[in-house]
């Protein structure tokens, strides 16, 4: 069986998730399109690279991502670093002829995303942006129902992504609060996941009317090399620095097919953890999903007899998208890891078959354009057409 040599850059949260996916993908999808071989890992210095390579099962390591990108044995470059590094690495990887999977958001803004898209198209490599939540079987099932016409024409999309890890003002100034590193705040970090799902399930977004705001203007500067998300570290006495990104975004959406929608994203919603939800109304029924209950899709079909109408819950399992490759019993428990394993499968398959895969850099670029429009709309306090 063919082997695909992976060079992964970044050994943090996503480094862990992607490594798990490379190791586990052939255990789920067998015969695998190819076996991912964890060949080389790059981190910010040699020591961290050595430790991360040992931990995540990579053969080689380097403290300089350029060496990984240029290495002749590497087939795939996996970008799992903070947002401000994506463009430079992806463009170099494309020029070196490597296939690329890049974490979300693709770039800091649409201009950067466009340069990345041009580079991968020029090089003719396979490219993917890692919006993995659409791989949750219940989300893929929603897509299937919509395509089959089970809820008719879509009228409305209501999406949320609510977390609370940044609600405490003593939570540290992660890179996620710095515009130069993150590009934007809740919008790019979590709002983009909902935009990906909205485009995947409903269609293209053509206009937005938005409000962004920063709730906590300064945060404690963290000590030590490792970036921490809020709740895990409370720095009461540390010096503070400015947060220059949004904590919250609320936007109306207009879709090309006439559907309307809303998106609300914040990391300051106490009590919500990974509350990525959508409710979609069609003229023949409705669908509801909440990632905190990710084995379930709630469905309402208008043609049901009046005496038994109501939302019912489908627990995803072998009968549903990707289900035969996952676990043998419905509701046994899909996790974050499985969404990354499925993403890995789709990406490796595209590389081996030489096809395109979605969400691609085209999608990442379009989402960056939508984000830029959301920011512009909030500044001008008006609808912005795309
Ligand atoms: P993290 O802060 O946990 O890890 C980033 C790692 O990259 C760190 O170990 C850091 O030392 C390393 N790094 C930074 N600059 C580097 C460079 N120039 N060369 C080599 N290594 C470098 O961050 P996390 O959470 O893993 O986020 C990484 C990316 O993944 C971001 O774009 C983020 O938005 C995205 N992400 C996506 C998620 C999803 O659900 N798809 C979930 C979490 C993050
Ligand atoms: C933090 O908000 C974070 O890790 C995001 O960066 C991810 O994209 C999201 O999936 C989980 O939360």
């Amino acid at each position: 069986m063919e082997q695909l040599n992976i060079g992964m850059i970044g050994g943090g949260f996503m480094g862990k998730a992607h490594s798990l996916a490379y190791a586990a993908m052939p255990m789920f999808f067998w015969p695998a399109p190819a076996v991912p071989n964890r060949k080389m890992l790059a981190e910010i210095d040699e020591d961290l690279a050595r430790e991360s390579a040992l931990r995540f099962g990579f053969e080689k390591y380097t403290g300089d991502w350029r060496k990984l990108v240029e290495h002749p044995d590497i087939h795939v470059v996996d970008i799992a670093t903070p947002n401000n590094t994506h463009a430079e690495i992806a463009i170099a990887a494309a020029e070196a002829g490597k296939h690329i999977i890049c974490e979300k958001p693709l770039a800091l803004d649409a201009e950067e995303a466009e340069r990345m898209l041009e580079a991968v198209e020029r090089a003719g490599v396979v490219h993917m942006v890692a919006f993995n939540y659409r791989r949750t079987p219940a989300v893929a099932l929603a897509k299937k129902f919509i395509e089959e016409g089970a809820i008719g024409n879509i009228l409305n999309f209501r999406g949320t992504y609510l977390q609370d890890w940044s609600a405490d003002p003593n939570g540290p100034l992660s890179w996620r609060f710095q515009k130069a590193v993150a590009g934007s705040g809740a919008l790019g970090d979590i709002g983009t996941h909902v935009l990906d799902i909205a485009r995947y399930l409903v269609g293209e977004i053509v206009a937005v009317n938005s409000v962004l705001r920063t709730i906590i203007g300064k945060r404690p500067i963290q000590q030590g090399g490792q970036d921490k998300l809020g709740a895990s570290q409370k720095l009461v006495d540390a010096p503070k620095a400015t947060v220059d990104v949004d904590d919250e975004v609320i936007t109306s959406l207009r879709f090309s097919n006439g559907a309307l929608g809303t998106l609300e994203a914040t990391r300051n919603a106490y009590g919500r953890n990974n509350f990525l939800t959508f409710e979609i109304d069609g003229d023949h029924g409705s669908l509801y999903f909440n990632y905190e209950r990710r084995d379930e899709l709630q469905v309402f079909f208008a043609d049901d007899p009046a005496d038994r109408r109501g939302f019912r819950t489908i627990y995803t399992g072998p009968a549903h998208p990707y289900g035969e490759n996952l676990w043998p019993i419905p509701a046994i428990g899909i996790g974050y890891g499985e969404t990354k394993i499925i993403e890995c499968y789709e990406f490796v398959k595209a590389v081996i078959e030489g096809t395109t895969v979605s969400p691609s850099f085209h999608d990442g670029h379009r989402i960056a354009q939508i984000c830029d429009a959301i920011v512009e709309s909030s500044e001008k306090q008006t609808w912005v057409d795309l």
Side-chain angles (χ1 to χ4, degrees), residues 123-151:
V125 296
V126 174
H127 45 96
M128 188 185 205
V129 55
F131 286 115
N132 51 300
Y133 290 107
R134 62 155 81 182
R135 305 298 179 201
T136 314
V139 177
L141 180 61
K143 169 86 169 164
K144 179 168 173 277
F145 284 152
I146 290 168
E147 283 180 350
E148 288 172 0
I151 61 164

Side-chain angles (χ1 to χ4, degrees), residues 304-338:
D304 282 350
D307 65 348
R308 63 204 65 183
R309 269 188 175 194
F311 270 101
R312 56 186 140 109
T313 303
I314 298 174
Y315 292 91
T316 55
H320 302 118
Y322 304 114
E324 279 192 4
N325 296 91
L326 296 170
W327 306 107
I329 299 168
I332 204 161
I334 296 298
Y336 185 82
E338 281 88 332

